[in-house]
Amino acid sequence: MDDYARRVPHTRRVAALGAVAAALALAVPAHASPGAGGGLDRYYQQRLDWGSCAQGPGDAAGRDLDKAGVRCADVTVPLDYAEPEGRTVSVAVSRLKATDRRHRVGALLLNPGGPGGTALDMPPDIRKAMKETGARYDLIGMDPRFVGRSTPLDCGWPVSTAVLSAGVGRAGFERQVALQKRLAAKCRATNADVLPHVSTRNTARDMDVIRGALGERKLSYLGYSYGTYLGTVYTQMFPGRYDRVVLDGALDTPRYQPRLLRGAEPENERALADWAAWAARWHATYGLGRSRDQVLATVDRVVEKSARGLTLGSGADVFRVDDSHVPFLLVEGIADDTDAARAALGESVSVLADAAAGKPARPSQHLAALLRYATTGVDSASGSAQSAILCGDVAAPRDPERYWRDIQRSRTRHPLFGPLTNNVTPCAFWDRPRERPTQVRHDARALIVAATGDPRTPYEGSVALRHRLPGSKLLTLKGANRHGIYGEYGDACVDSKVNAYLATGRLPAKDETCAR
């Protein structure tokens, strides 16, 4: 969705200071490892204390990593790279070591997207996806600064995401302005000292410290969604220090900004229509309509009714849902066109339709988790970190009326998704970023993987990044409405081609295409 899709609970789980920091980052010779200079030597040369990933007897995820042979450590990095002798923070990393040491390639760092996605648990799954090639890499999971098990950032929000719709009218938009302003104020009140240092550029600097601490001359990288932006930024800030780079579901750098889904309305509408055609074939199960148009009409009725509020669940698990939430639930559900994902969305919309009709509505476990995420602060840290990264990267418009005008213009063509993709965010009330956004000035030999129907990071963004990086190659999966392909979607053609690149380091001679 953010890239935002990967931030929801796992179903797969400006200026002078910026110039100084950039100069520090680029001052390290490309061949330097682990030393860095510029006051950063102690970070690049630190020895990592690898140990158990489990943080106590109740840490099931950590125990699973331990059983898989993964080890964990904390990397110390400066809060402010312009003041390396000042305050430090920790970045949590995991490592699944290469077993084929004779043919070892190096370290492959992983990022699932977000912004603010955690990767500590990724190495075992990526090892399986890589097949025999996986044994040749040390697979490195990283929780970026202020995410997951790294030094935490939690603003104490009453919701777990700021990705909400402005709803069907002005009153809903005014409520959103008040909410988003309140979210920004809570972050400033609780974390003002660190917010200026939460950014993709600083995460890229942390990555290079990790490279040095691992003793690697170069770092390979696999990133999904927002992780493609992070990977691109790393190649620009540290040219010469990366080896093999895979960018899955790519963001074109100029399109990266706080309203990440803006411009993706047509792709989301197509994905929703494709899902509706699927749901119509299962009318006997979900009761949403016998044709695509009937199902879409049911969705429209749900949105219209939700403007007055819907009640789902009973007892201790009661959720009050309105027109700011329903578009979010739909966007979350259409990022995957597998039958299992479509069935989960069918069940969710069926429950919402019951609520809209005044019937008892009992959400599934999946829907209840999404509703809890959207309507409560159960995972406040997740939304806090995501917004802090977005707001720390690119300045957002400040005037709420600018957002209202954008919403109204978009509503005429995209009445369902326009009010979500153009909605105001906490970034409208955030302090300005310390640094300018990264510009692509260096070519990078990367393999870009993209699905033609990706509703989160539209295919055109991957095509644009491919041309922005002439040395890259584009691997297209035709006919899939899916965000995140390699190792996740089960497409043998894509997986085999990515693995061939990771095994040999040779990009395809030309752009290639797989058919779903």
Side-chain angles (χ1 to χ4, degrees):
M1 214 185 209
D2 70 58
D3 236 86
Y4 297 112
R6 305 177 75 91
R7 299 296 300 124
V8 174
H10 289 308
T11 53
R12 168 208 164 255
R13 60 149 220 182
V14 213
L17 181 59
V20 172
L24 282 172
L26 295 174
V28 187
H31 63 273
S33 180
L40 297 174
D41 281 3
R42 69 186 181 107
Y43 300 105
Y44 277 79
Q45 295 173 2
Q46 66 186 291
R47 298 188 61 165
L48 301 184
D49 184 16
W50 296 101
S52 170
C53 294
Q55 296 182 322
D59 184 3
R63 289 200 310 273
D64 288 344
L65 289 174
D66 288 344
K67 290 176 184 176
V70 179
R71 306 296 277 171
C72 291
D74 290 323
V75 181
T76 301
V77 298
L79 172 66
D80 183 349
Y81 275 84
E83 296 183 6
E85 299 304 320
R87 179 178 169 185
T88 64
V89 295
S90 67
V91 174
V93 294
S94 61
R95 180 174 68 181
L96 185 56
K97 294 188 74 171
T99 55
D100 185 356
R101 307 299 294 180
R102 183 178 178 183
H103 302 100
R104 181 180 179 275
V105 176
L108 177 68
L109 190 138
L110 312 170
N111 184 278
T118 66
L120 234 61
D121 62 345
M122 288 182 70
D125 289 339
I126 298 301
R127 173 66 56 88
K128 292 176 185 175
M130 295 175 73
K131 298 186 168 52
E132 62 273 10
T133 302
R136 300 174 57 195
Y137 283 88
D138 288 356
L139 300 180
I140 308 297
M142 173 186 72
D143 283 359
R145 55 171 50 204
F146 304 110
V147 170
R149 294 192 180 184
S150 298
T151 296
L153 185 154
D154 189 345
C155 300
W157 281 2
V159 294
S160 301
T161 179
V163 186
L164 299 167
S165 175
V168 300
R170 179 76 192 202
F173 173 71
E174 294 293 348
R175 288 193 294 271
Q176 282 297 303
V177 171
L179 171 64
Q180 304 289 352
K181 188 174 185 178
R182 189 163 69 249
L183 297 180
K186 288 184 75 67
C187 280
R188 189 175 295 109
T190 56
N191 291 276
D193 55 337
V194 302
L195 292 180
H197 311 292
V198 187
S199 69
T200 296
R201 287 180 65 84
N202 277 333
T203 299
R205 293 179 177 112
D206 295 344
M207 286 170 54
D208 203 56
V209 169
I210 292 169
R211 175 196 63 78
L214 293 172
E216 301 288 343
R217 293 173 62 84
K218 293 186 176 184
L219 192 65
S220 291
Y221 181 81
L222 167 62
Y224 297 85
S225 194
Y226 158 81
T228 67
Y229 179 74
L230 172 60
T232 302
V233 169
Y234 185 79
T235 68
Q236 300 305 299
M237 293 180 65
F238 300 96
R241 291 184 226 171
Y242 58 89
D243 184 9
R244 301 166 199 190
V245 175
V246 179
L247 307 176
D248 190 320
L251 278 161
D252 187 27
T253 48
R255 267 192 67 164
Y256 176 77
Q257 44 95 19
R259 292 184 285 178
L260 271 178
L261 282 174
R262 193 169 185 228
E265 299 89 359
E267 287 79 8
N268 278 278
E269 288 168 351
R270 283 195 292 270
L272 181 65
D274 287 350
W275 167 80
W278 178 93
R281 296 196 295 272
W282 293 88
H283 174 72
T285 301
Y286 304 110
L288 300 175
R290 299 182 183 279
S291 69
R292 183 191 69 175
D293 288 347
Q294 288 179 0
V295 173
L296 292 175
T298 299
V299 170
D300 288 342
R301 284 195 299 274
V302 168
V303 175
E304 181 183 359
K305 292 286 188 180
S306 71
R308 294 188 289 275
L310 304 176
T311 300
L312 284 73
S314 60
D317 251 354
V318 174
F319 300 99
R320 188 70 174 170
V321 177
D322 61 31
D323 52 347
S324 71
H325 304 117
V326 175
F328 163 81
L329 297 173
L330 295 170
V331 161
E332 161 58 20
I334 57 178
D336 185 346
D337 63 3
T338 61
D339 283 345
R342 284 178 162 175
L345 181 56
E347 187 173 0
S348 295
V349 176
S350 180
V351 172
L352 290 167
D354 283 345
K359 301 177 183 177
R362 296 178 177 83
S364 65
Q365 185 176 359
H366 171 73
L367 178 57
L370 289 174
L371 291 171
R372 202 170 290 114
Y373 185 79
T375 64
T376 77
V378 64
D379 197 6
S380 164
S382 167
S384 302
Q386 180 176 85
S387 288
I389 295 166
L390 288 167
C391 302
D393 280 344
V394 182
R398 314 293 284 183
D399 182 5
E401 292 303 314
R402 164 82 174 272
Y403 295 89
W404 177 246
R405 290 193 297 270
D406 290 344
I407 288 166
Q408 291 296 83
R409 276 195 295 267
S410 182
R411 198 192 299 274
T412 57
R413 294 185 61 190
H414 311 292
L416 175 57
F417 293 120
L420 182 144
T421 60
N422 290 276
N423 196 21
V424 65
T425 77
C427 303
F429 311 102
W430 216 265
D431 292 342
R432 296 286 184 178
R434 289 285 186 92
E435 298 186 72
R436 296 183 186 278
T438 301
Q439 302 294 315
V440 173
R441 294 191 171 93
H442 305 283
D443 194 5
R445 293 178 54 79
L447 182 61
I448 300 170
V449 182
T452 53
D454 187 335
R456 292 294 172 275
T457 53
Y459 179 68
E460 64 184 23
S462 291
V463 173
L465 184 62
R466 158 71 179 89
H467 292 296
R468 204 173 298 281
L469 303 173
S472 66
K473 290 295 183 289
L474 177 62
L475 174 57
T476 298
L477 177 62
K478 293 182 65 175
N481 299 330
R482 168 71 194 210
H483 185 57
I485 303 298
Y486 171 69
E488 296 188 346
Y489 194 54
D491 188 89
C493 176
V494 169
D495 289 356
S496 64
K497 290 180 183 296
V498 172
N499 285 339
Y501 165 61
L502 291 172
T504 65
R506 293 191 297 271
L507 288 167
K510 59 182 181 178
D511 295 342
E512 296 190 340
T513 299
C514 294
R516 183 186 175 204

